[in-house]
Amino acid sequence: MATLDDYKGQTPAWCPGCGNFSILRTFKEALVELGLEPHQFTIVSGIGQAAKFPHYLKCNTFNGLHGRSLPVATGLRLANHEMLVFAVAGDGDCYGEGGNHLMHAMRKNVNVKLFVHDNQVYGLTKGQASPTTHEGTVTKNMPFGVFSEQLNPMALAVALDCSFVARSFSGDPEHLRSIVREAVAHKGFCLVDILQPCVSFNKLNTHEWYRQRVYHIEPEYDPADRVKAFERSLEWGDRIPIGVIYRNSRLSLEERIPMIHERPLVKQSHDIAKLCDILKEFY
């Protein structure tokens, strides 16, 4: 049985007070509660403060290009769908550079669990506006305020019929832990947006700002009702819902590919000589 120490990686280099610390500890606690061993899953990330997450865990990891975590995660699942695959990203990395990949991963419904650390700013590069920065926010490189409308990742995910759509808050570890467990148990693509204060570069969306606004979605709420989910996803401002906003039971991409339906690709026999002959046809 794995313990928290079994997941201990490098010492985090995040700023003191960063919401990432709570997310990291809560994530490890959820893994222990789920009885997962470090060799049983892979975590993929791109670039950013959130993308350092795999450095601070001991497990199978892949740290790649900015915004490109989901193509790698998809490839891993198609090669070995018996391996549990997580993707971790920041709001800039995922909703900005990787926005196109996010959209199509939701459409395909690859069975990957994506956790987005949403601090509404690019923290690694010192505070530029990200897609989830409030319109009008003044930053050092945008003295006239952000001109673009704020992206709503929850509404986008519901509109694309994403299989599992949830939001949590780094300042509520018990809630976040329960959402991580639900995402792991769900079959299909999961988007978990985690509200996370950036204490160095976002002076608006602080811990206190979130504590005054976030509320738990009530137990009687039905996340299978897509119309209600869309209404709930639009709530932002004085009240921000956290919990499972939408969930469906679509077949995953892996289940719809006949060649790997019965046996993972990595366990299938292969003939290198035959592959070389096929490749010669293209040269």
Side-chain angles (χ1 to χ4, degrees):
M1 186 74 176
T3 66
L4 289 179
D5 284 343
D6 292 321
Y7 292 108
K8 188 176 181 180
Q10 299 175 30
T11 301
W14 293 316
C15 303
C18 176
N20 280 331
F21 285 102
S22 172
I23 298 173
L24 178 63
R25 179 172 180 80
T26 304
F27 189 75
K28 289 193 288 187
E29 289 173 347
L31 295 176
V32 170
E33 289 178 4
L34 289 164
L36 288 169
E37 302 284 344
H39 69 275
Q40 291 179 306
F41 61 91
T42 299
I43 298 183
V44 182
S45 70
I47 298 296
Q49 293 290 3
K52 295 178 181 176
F53 198 82
H55 303 182
Y56 308 142
L57 281 163
K58 188 169 70 177
C59 59
N60 303 303
T61 64
F62 185 97
N63 187 202
L65 299 176
H66 208 180
R68 306 296 181 253
S69 58
L70 288 177
V72 175
T74 301
L76 286 169
R77 283 291 300 176
L78 294 181
N80 182 9
H81 61 267
E82 290 182 349
M83 171 71 74
L84 184 59
V85 178
F86 301 118
V88 178
D91 43 295
D93 184 36
C94 182
Y95 302 145
E97 279 80 0
N100 193 45
H101 297 304
L102 171 65
M103 185 170 66
H104 294 293
M106 291 193 287
R107 287 180 53 241
K108 292 172 181 171
N109 198 29
V110 60
N111 195 350
V112 167
K113 322 302 175 187
L114 169 64
F115 299 94
V116 180
H117 300 208
D118 188 354
N119 61 9
Q120 301 172 262
V121 76
Y122 281 89
L124 185 67
T125 46
K126 315 305 181 196
Q128 291 94 334
S130 85
T132 54
T133 304
H134 288 206
E135 185 177 0
T137 301
V138 175
T139 70
K140 286 184 178 178
N141 69 341
M142 302 193 75
F144 304 110
V146 176
F147 296 136
S148 302
E149 188 170 340
Q150 184 183 20
L151 177 75
N152 183 334
M154 299 290 93
L156 175 68
V158 175
L160 289 171
D161 203 22
C162 179
S163 190
F164 182 94
V165 183
R167 175 185 280 139
S168 192
F169 171 43
S170 65
D172 190 343
E174 186 176 345
H175 182 272
L176 177 57
R177 201 160 51 244
S178 70
I179 292 295
V180 172
R181 289 198 305 265
E182 282 196 66
V184 173
H186 182 79
K187 190 174 63 176
F189 186 81
C190 298
L191 170 61
V192 179
D193 185 71
I194 306 170
L195 303 174
Q196 174 237 321
C198 174
V199 296
S200 296
F201 300 110
N202 186 340
K203 303 302 183 185
L204 171 63
N205 308 113
T206 63
H207 283 89
E208 186 60 27
W209 189 92
Y210 284 120
R211 290 191 192 285
Q212 292 174 356
R213 290 165 174 78
V214 297
Y215 74 94
H216 291 191
I217 293 176
E218 56 277 13
E220 60 271 23
Y221 173 78
D222 179 12
D225 187 328
R226 194 175 177 192
V227 173
K228 294 290 184 187
F230 194 69
E231 291 176 358
R232 194 60 67 106
S233 73
L234 296 177
E235 282 190 45
W236 182 267
D238 292 339
R239 282 172 57 78
I240 302 173
I242 58 174
V244 179
I245 291 175
Y246 180 60
R247 178 165 49 207
N248 65 41
S249 55
R250 295 164 54 202
L251 287 176
S252 68
L253 175 64
E254 301 90 311
E255 291 175 300
R256 287 180 286 136
I257 299 178
M259 290 76 79
I260 61 172
H261 182 68
E262 298 296 332
R263 180 180 296 180
L265 196 60
V266 294
K267 292 186 176 179
Q268 296 185 23
S269 60
H270 60 279
D271 186 334
I272 294 295
K274 192 175 292 184
L275 178 62
C276 290
D277 288 341
I278 293 173
L279 288 175
K280 285 176 184 175
E281 296 176 11
F282 297 93
Y283 294 97

